[in-house]
Amino acid sequence: MTSFHYVVAAALCSAILFGGGRGINAQLTPTFYNKTCPNLHTIIRSVVEDALQTDPRIGASIIRLHFHDCFVNGCDGSLLLDNSATILSEKEAPPNNNSARGFDVIDNIKTAVEKSCPRLAGGPEWPVPLGRRDSLTANRTLASINLPGPGSTLDQLKFRFSVVGLNTDDLVALSGAHTFGRAQCRTFRNRLYNFNNTGNPDPTLDTALRTELRKICPETGTGTNLTNLDQTTPDDFDNKYYSNLQVKKGLLQSDQELFSTPGADTQVIVNKFTSSQDAFFDSFVKSMIRMGNISPLTGKAGEIRLNCRRVNAQVNDDLLQFKREDDLVSSI
Ligand code: HEM
Ligand SMILES: *[C@@H]1O[C@H](CO)[C@@H](O)[C@H](O)[C@H]1NC(C)=O
Ligand SMILES: *[C@@H]1O[C@H](CO)[C@@H](O)[C@H](O)[C@H]1NC(C)=O
Ligand SMILES: *[C@@H]1O[C@H](CO)[C@@H](O)[C@H](O)[C@H]1NC(C)=O
Ligand SMILES: *[C@@H]1O[C@H](CO)[C@@H](O)[C@H](O)[C@H]1NC(C)=O
Ligand SMILES: *[C@@H]1O[C@H](CO)[C@@H](O)[C@H](O)[C@H]1NC(C)=O
């Protein structure tokens, strides 16, 4: 199975559950699943629905995993690999460590799909979705460099997107994913107290919101308290993210930059998405597809992983190891 294809589907199913547009799922559903795994969407949906029972944030977390995978050597599932003798995981790179979450739900999706559609598991006859396969490697260094940070300026954001072939429209549309999910205090704290080493708070942050945020985000300490990225409709996939920006209520500097950077060409896009949720959904779908197509592994490159967390060679080694221990036990 090419892990991340399912992640996209899963993320969008949950976006719908969160109240997002029905159209999103329809447009991103590749028809090639019809033959190979007709129940695929039902399976994914049911795993995600289960997870949602106890974790209203899971859809947001999974969509973010997709972003963090795609910006590092393309959408090849490299983010899902655990540390091993040969892999230095991307999970522990600064943008991900103690931040990226939802890996257990990916495992559950993978297990459920394998159970119902075992023929998806690695046969060479599998028609690879959009040519995408899973990586054999991870790159922690690249994961530390390629992902934009919450303190990025507009120029830095544009640059990071351009490196992976995405443009300004993609930047503004995809940032709209911050319409749901949470962020830790440490990702916006400097805006509350000492912005950009000015000794003052960020003037582009609403002062009433600043007062609220200071309560859960004191100037010192671990900064792990969570708050909503979207102050208006925290769990809904809608266009409120953009109207928040118009009233200085973006949570991260990287959010507010899209509207508050003087003379920025992104302002007009923010305004467009504020006045039309349909326009936002249309653009979001297009940009998600563009992001999902960043340097996929095709042909014989990579593999179709049996377990999202390890490369197949590792899994085979484990099986052999297991068998040896088994033999040992039976010989005792
Ligand atoms: C434009 C540059 C971006 C920056 C600088 C950025 C930064 C961040 C940061 C700092 C967090 C909070 C992490 C934490 O506190 O643990 C976050 C959360 C999140 N990001 Fe982004 N992000 C960007 C773009 C995106 C994109 C393109 C997507 C998806 C299409 C996305 C989806 C999310 C979601 C859904 C969450 C909440 C996750 C959760 O609740 O688990 N972000 N982002
Ligand atoms: C896949 O199934 C959907 C819904 O049943 C149908 O509309 C579509 O035409 C099918 N596509 C293929 C390639 O069979
Ligand atoms: C990731 O976070 C864990 C827990 O805080 C820490 O023990 C570990 O050293 C971190 N990894 C890296 C590479 O910094
Ligand atoms: C990670 O990517 C960098 C930059 O492309 C490269 O120099 C390095 O060798 C890569 N590391 C691994 C482990 O592939
Ligand atoms: C932060 O400070 C630097 C150097 O003083 C300046 O070039 C930059 O524009 C500032 N960034 C913001 C967002 O104000
Ligand atoms: C988390 O927020 C509470 C207020 O809700 C505050 O008392 C506490 O100090 C905060 N913890 C951290 C680690 O910042």
Side-chain angles (χ1 to χ4, degrees):
M1 177 174 91
T2 54
S3 323
F4 255 95
H5 207 93
Y6 298 119
V7 174
V8 180
L12 290 168
C13 285
S14 56
I16 287 164
L17 296 175
F18 279 119
R22 249 178 275 257
I24 290 178
N25 190 44
Q27 288 181 63
L28 278 186
T29 303
T31 49
F32 46 69
Y33 291 138
N34 283 22
K35 284 176 192 156
T36 49
C37 190
N39 296 327
L40 183 70
H41 295 280
T42 321
I43 297 165
I44 295 171
R45 187 180 293 257
S46 103
V47 175
V48 174
E49 273 174 4
D50 272 1
L52 277 168
Q53 300 295 314
T54 50
D55 182 4
R57 186 184 164 196
I58 194 64
S61 303
I62 290 176
I63 243 180
R64 184 167 184 244
L65 292 183
H66 184 51
F67 162 50
H68 282 207
D69 182 46
C70 291
F71 267 55
V72 182
N73 279 333
C75 313
D76 57 4
S78 56
L79 173 62
L80 300 179
L81 290 171
D82 282 345
N83 281 327
S84 75
T86 52
I87 303 281
L88 199 57
S89 79
E90 292 170 15
K91 295 177 179 182
E92 279 187 65
N96 295 322
N97 205 21
N98 303 306
S99 177
R101 63 194 290 281
F103 297 108
D104 49 337
V105 176
I106 303 300
D107 291 340
N108 292 344
I109 292 172
K110 173 75 176 173
T111 305
V113 170
E114 291 295 334
K115 199 172 155 203
S116 297
C117 307
R119 293 204 305 159
L120 289 187
E125 70 286 340
W126 160 242
V128 179
L130 303 178
R132 241 177 293 189
R133 290 159 65 86
D134 298 324
S135 74
L136 298 168
T137 57
N139 193 322
R140 186 176 298 173
T141 311
L142 222 51
S144 317
I145 298 170
N146 278 16
L147 289 161
S152 301
T153 62
L154 184 57
D155 282 346
Q156 291 166 336
L157 294 170
K158 285 182 177 181
F159 175 70
R160 282 294 150 214
F161 273 64
S162 74
V163 166
V164 294
L166 298 178
N167 61 31
T168 301
D169 290 332
D170 297 317
L171 167 65
V172 179
L174 292 174
S175 294
H178 290 175
T179 179
F180 65 172
R182 317 282 178 260
Q184 299 172 58
C185 152
R186 62 186 168 89
T187 65
F188 56 85
R189 175 155 57 190
N190 75 325
R191 303 187 71 202
L192 311 180
Y193 303 100
N194 181 12
F195 180 63
N196 203 16
N197 288 322
T198 57
N200 294 308
D202 186 344
T204 69
L205 176 65
D206 175 77
T207 53
L209 177 58
R210 183 176 78 212
T211 304
E212 281 310 302
L213 291 175
R214 279 181 172 177
K215 291 179 190 160
I216 60 124
C217 192
E219 194 163 6
T220 57
T222 58
T224 51
N225 275 353
L226 291 170
T227 196
N228 298 322
L229 278 159
D230 178 346
Q231 306 300 316
T232 310
T233 50
D235 290 334
D236 290 340
F237 199 100
D238 58 16
N239 64 342
K240 294 294 190 294
Y241 167 81
Y242 299 100
S243 44
N244 292 337
L245 299 183
Q246 293 178 324
V247 293
K248 300 211 258 189
K249 288 186 177 175
L251 183 67
L252 308 179
Q253 181 190 338
S254 56
D255 294 320
Q256 196 58 48
E257 290 265 341
L258 301 178
F259 188 76
S260 296
T261 305
D265 55 355
T266 45
Q267 285 171 354
V268 54
I269 311 174
V270 170
N271 292 339
K272 180 174 75 181
F273 292 159
T274 300
S275 39
S276 168
Q277 180 160 281
D278 285 347
F280 165 48
F281 282 1
D282 266 13
S283 295
F284 186 75
V285 168
K286 288 195 183 102
S287 293
M288 279 296 280
I289 292 171
R290 282 165 55 74
M291 183 171 82
N293 285 339
I294 297 172
S295 354
L297 295 174
T298 54
K300 293 189 171 173
E303 65 182 8
I304 295 168
R305 259 180 240 151
L306 298 164
N307 175 335
C308 297
R309 292 176 182 266
R310 18 241 318 233
V311 296
N312 291 341
Q314 183 81 45
V315 174
N316 291 336
D317 279 355
D318 290 351
L319 286 176
L320 279 175
Q321 180 66 30
F322 188 65
K323 191 172 178 312
R324 269 186 233 115
E325 281 165 12
D326 223 39
D327 291 346
L328 195 64
V329 170
S330 41
S331 67
I332 290 173

